[in-house]
Amino acid sequence: MAAVVVIAAQEQRRSLRKSALEEQANTAEFDADHDGHVSPQELQQDIGHVQVRLEVLLERLSLEDGLIDLIKNLPLFLLCLFCFLAAIAILSPPPQTAAIHRHLGSHFGLDQAAIYDFLQTFEDKNAELRDACLSGITFATSFNYWCEHRYFQREWDDHYLVPVSTCPSPRYTALELQSSPDNDTAYQIEEDNPNLTCHDHASHACSTDLGLLYCPQTCGYCAPFSYDRYRKYTKPQVTLLPSVVHQTRFKTKACEGWAEKFLVQNYNPVLVTMPALDGPKNDALLTCVDRNAAYEEDYAFYLECTAHTPSARCVNGQIPITAKTLFHGQAVYAKMLIESKRDLAAMQEVGWIDSQTESITVSTVIYTEDLEMFTSLTVTFDFDYAGNVDGSVSMVTYKDVILSSAQNFVACLLTTCIGAGLSATALTVHLLRHREQCNWGLTCYEIFSRILLLVYPTILLISWSQQLLMSHEFDLLLETFIGSDGVDEAHMNHNMQEYFKVKTVIHDEVGWLERHRVASYVLMYFQFLQMVLYFNAHPRVAMLTKTVKGALLNMLHFFLVFTILFLMLAFMAHFLLLGWPPYELSKPQKPNKHPKMQNKKEPQRQRPNPKIRNPKKPSASKPKPLKA
């Protein structure tokens, strides 16, 4: 067998050597002057002995025809494409947007898990960036950067060897208040004591927010206030207002199934060592939720009035918590974290997040100076049936295209539209005139891609011209609170309504930008395929596309079979493994050795004396347990 292979290889080499010699002989016969080159004149003399390989000639003519079409159509195509890319880069610049989102993600600590801790950190970081622009004047509204003039002190520090600013002001924030005398009547109603006055009760009133609201004259809190720079603001980004957290809720329903039995369970007075199981309960054990119905009452929930509850807050024996606000036609219950530590502690105390909560959303808006870019940052926590919390982050940055940027944006889109229109017209005329010679599939796709480059930029330009500047919306957003007539609950609810009206407009504009980003991506993908078809005129690229085209049917069959098998395996894994927790049991942690925690002892519950086995029972009759 080996000898046969060797003989076959030798015969192949002889034939190759023979064909090479014949080719040299033929060349020598045509080369009359023996200069090593066959000129057209020499070829014409022996034209009868010339043999033409038609497949090579056809391949060469096809290549030249494709290159001619590429040279004719590619320049105008690239002009339209590059102008469109430049226009969308002006509308939504990728490098600046990525830098802003990366900084905000690290600044706000978007990797925390505990909701209340996250809300506290979110508002603390929001306060660090809080700044506002009004009528061309920039001033920081956060108390971290301004101090009331009468409390401002700047003295030399011998330790640091620099001047140090201090602000021993009892006022927590720098919100504007209206100049007004004491309102003893409102203070008496709030404290539920008709004998109190601001002057006689100044030590208590001036140490709380009540002094700001009802006793400004006694406490020395009469507006207008004057502020001195306490600390230099060093960040390029600013937020306008405190963070706003809102939730959507589900309705309640009558409990069904075993939950109905659980609600009417008995108690056992013998179980004295197990509190809450030895006596009747005066409230429901469970709250059954209808997850198919949205809660739309005027307030999120109601609490029973307690002793000394201010009459203004107690309505029909109930205290309403968190008024309803409409956001995109949906009922939401919002809270602005003005004093975040106090507000979040109060929210935890009343159980603001409960089983009826569908989702929690905290949001803020950020302005980046010099770039004129406005970012809407939204963090959402969704609650599922089992109480799991899934967090998601949405950051969308909107750029105000003004001045020279607007001119460049319009010029690029107009150039794209004009070039695409001319190219589509020329291709259509060429197709109609040379119906037999044209490749209908490729030419129709080329015309379709040009029509896309004509229609979509036109739509983008018209819709962009109808959008309001984001800076105008931010002015309105800031004005909803700067122009407030008061800081009581009624005015704050009204301000919240106006805030969400402006936020709805901002949400619509941000949604408009996101839709056009997706549409631009789809359009660019069509143009990418068009570019591949253009470069198919190159022999190397043509070989790749021809290979893919030949294997396309087999690839489709493979993906169909692979998809069915993958879905079956995925369901098997989902059915078998989803019930197992994705974590391991953690090891017991060592006790905290922090010096501040060593002196703190947990309160110990008093246990009954184990020596007293049969304590004396009261002579009264046993209470009868509730019947099921």
Side-chain angles (χ1 to χ4, degrees), residues 57-69:
L57 179 61
L58 180 61
E59 181 180 356
R60 181 57 61 89
L61 292 177
S62 300
L63 174 62
E64 293 180 357
D65 186 56
L67 291 175
I68 292 174
D69 291 339

Side-chain angles (χ1 to χ4, degrees), residues 516-565:
H516 280 284
R517 283 169 55 87
V518 174
S520 298
Y521 174 81
V522 174
L523 177 61
M524 286 187 290
Y525 204 86
F526 276 106
Q527 306 311 313
F528 167 76
L529 295 179
Q530 178 64 73
M531 188 176 293
V532 171
L533 294 177
Y534 273 144
F535 286 108
N536 195 35
H538 193 283
R540 303 294 184 182
V541 179
M543 181 177 63
L544 294 177
T545 56
K546 186 177 180 180
T547 303
V548 174
K549 183 178 179 180
L552 183 60
L553 185 60
N554 294 329
M555 292 171 60
L556 291 177
H557 284 283
F558 169 77
F559 281 121
L560 178 62
V561 175
F562 179 78
T563 302
I564 296 174
L565 296 177

Side-chain angles (χ1 to χ4, degrees), residues 19-31 38 46 49 51:
S19 60
L21 293 175
E22 290 178 354
E23 182 177 358
Q24 293 178 2
N26 293 333
T27 304
E29 292 177 0
F30 289 117
D31 188 10
V38 179
D46 297 327
H49 300 84
Q51 296 180 356

Side-chain angles (χ1 to χ4, degrees), residues 470-531:
M470 188 61 72
S471 57
H472 173 70
E473 303 301 331
F474 270 47
D475 287 340
L476 295 178
L477 194 65
L478 183 62
E479 188 62 25
T480 56
F481 287 89
I482 295 298
S484 177
D485 295 330
V487 291
D488 56 353
E489 186 176 1
H491 285 93
M492 291 302 294
N493 289 338
H494 173 73
N495 294 341
M496 193 63 67
Q497 298 282 350
E498 297 299 321
Y499 171 88
F500 274 97
K501 287 181 181 179
V502 180
K503 194 71 185 297
T504 300
V505 178
I506 294 177
H507 186 273
D508 292 339
E509 292 201 14
V510 168
W512 171 87
L513 178 61
E514 280 298 287
R515 290 192 298 272
H516 280 284
R517 283 169 55 87
V518 174
S520 298
Y521 174 81
V522 174
L523 177 61
M524 286 187 290
Y525 204 86
F526 276 106
Q527 306 311 313
F528 167 76
L529 295 179
Q530 178 64 73
M531 188 176 293

Side-chain angles (χ1 to χ4, degrees), residues 234-247:
T234 59
K235 300 181 183 296
Q237 294 174 323
V238 292
T239 57
L240 306 186
L241 296 170
S243 303
V244 175
V245 55
H246 68 267
Q247 67 166 295

